[in-house]
Amino acid sequence: MSQDNVTSTLEKIHIAAKQEFLDKGFPLASLRNIVKTAGVTTGAFYGYYKSKEELFDALVGEHAEYVLKIFDTTLGNFNKLSGEEQTKRMTDISEDAMLQMLDYIYDYYDEFKLLILCSEGTQYVGFIHQLVLKETASTYAYIETLKQMGINIKPINNNLIHMVSSGLFTGAFETIVHDMPKEEAREYVRQLQQFYTAGWEELLGVKFGEQL
């Protein structure tokens, strides 16, 4: 079989699978329907993937990892800064990361619809939660940095820190849930960041963008 035919068959499977998953979600998606829509045999399908789960992973896995990597890189670079620089650059760094992720998400919009709306029953159902855990851990670390600098931080409930992080990322992905046009989504994310920035400034008693 030529490489062109291999690519064509695989693309047909991916196109059919994407639509089936988008229409029905992962649990109700039918492998039989995917194969039929793609116009390939079941045997041909199993030449590429062992299961429906493996097929779903092929559609979304690299994109999920890329967004997580963007966030990991941002947090890693942030953690290398001094407490003064973290506070001074907090807003810009946070907004830049969110918009960078958003741009990538809109480049692969259907794949992220699968991740956010159709991944029940797969390993990706906790995708947003992974971002939340990273954000929560980074927030704890930043608070400890402020304390080590001698800044008096009022006690903050640990559950609140987690829920605020969850609200931020769940809110950010509402852009996908509600099919926002990209430019509207970018402005929405900026405003969402402004809202959370003001809340954290109030809780922590610091002003981001200013020297401590």
Side-chain angles (χ1 to χ4, degrees):
M1 183 180 292
S2 72
Q3 185 62 41
D4 287 344
N5 286 336
V6 170
T7 302
S8 177
T9 300
L10 190 57
E11 285 178 349
K12 288 177 181 179
I13 291 172
H14 285 180
I15 291 168
K18 187 184 295 185
Q19 195 57 56
E20 180 77 3
F21 289 136
L22 286 171
D23 288 346
K24 299 177 181 177
F26 178 81
L28 297 179
S30 166
L31 193 54
R32 180 179 297 178
N33 285 346
I34 292 170
V35 169
K36 181 179 179 181
T37 301
V40 302
T41 65
T42 302
F45 171 84
Y46 284 115
Y48 296 104
Y49 301 112
K50 297 177 182 178
S51 64
K52 187 171 72 170
E53 290 84 353
E54 195 172 286
L55 172 58
F56 192 88
D57 176 71
L59 293 175
V60 306
E62 68 175 297
H63 304 299
E65 287 301 317
Y66 192 86
V67 166
L68 292 173
K69 184 177 179 181
I70 290 174
F71 198 51
D72 282 340
T73 299
T74 298
L75 295 179
N77 291 336
F78 180 79
N79 290 335
K80 294 175 184 176
L81 300 173
S82 67
E84 290 86 353
E85 281 297 306
Q86 287 180 348
T87 302
K88 187 176 180 180
R89 298 176 59 189
M90 175 73 75
T91 301
D92 289 341
I93 290 173
S94 297
E95 183 175 298
D96 286 348
M98 293 294 283
L99 291 178
Q100 188 180 350
M101 289 189 286
L102 186 74
D103 285 341
Y104 184 82
I105 287 164
Y106 271 75
D107 284 343
Y108 298 95
Y109 191 82
D110 284 346
E111 286 78 6
F112 280 94
K113 288 203 79 167
L114 292 176
L115 268 170
I116 303 307
L117 299 175
C118 307
S119 62
E120 187 70 36
T122 77
Q123 62 177 312
Y124 297 101
V125 70
F127 171 70
I128 292 177
H129 190 60
Q130 290 184 65
L131 291 166
V132 171
L133 292 178
K134 294 173 187 293
E135 173 72 7
T136 301
S138 180
T139 302
Y140 286 145
Y142 176 63
I143 290 173
E144 286 304 310
T145 296
L146 293 179
K147 289 179 179 178
Q148 291 170 14
M149 294 169 62
I151 297 174
N152 184 29
I153 304 294
K154 295 178 182 178
I156 302 174
N157 187 288
N158 288 342
N159 288 326
L160 176 62
I161 294 174
H162 179 84
M163 286 187 286
V164 169
S165 299
S166 180
L168 172 63
F169 282 102
T170 301
F173 282 101
E174 286 292 300
T175 56
I176 301 296
V177 175
H178 295 287
D179 285 320
M180 288 186 192
K182 183 177 179 179
E183 286 310 308
E184 180 183 345
R186 286 177 63 86
E187 182 58 29
Y188 164 83
V189 167
R190 288 191 188 97
Q191 292 179 1
L192 188 67
Q193 282 285 142
Q194 290 171 357
F195 176 83
Y196 278 92
T197 294
W200 278 120
E201 288 178 336
E202 180 67 24
L203 284 173
L204 297 174
V206 299
K207 190 72 173 177
F208 300 140
E210 297 181 359
Q211 198 71 34
L212 290 175

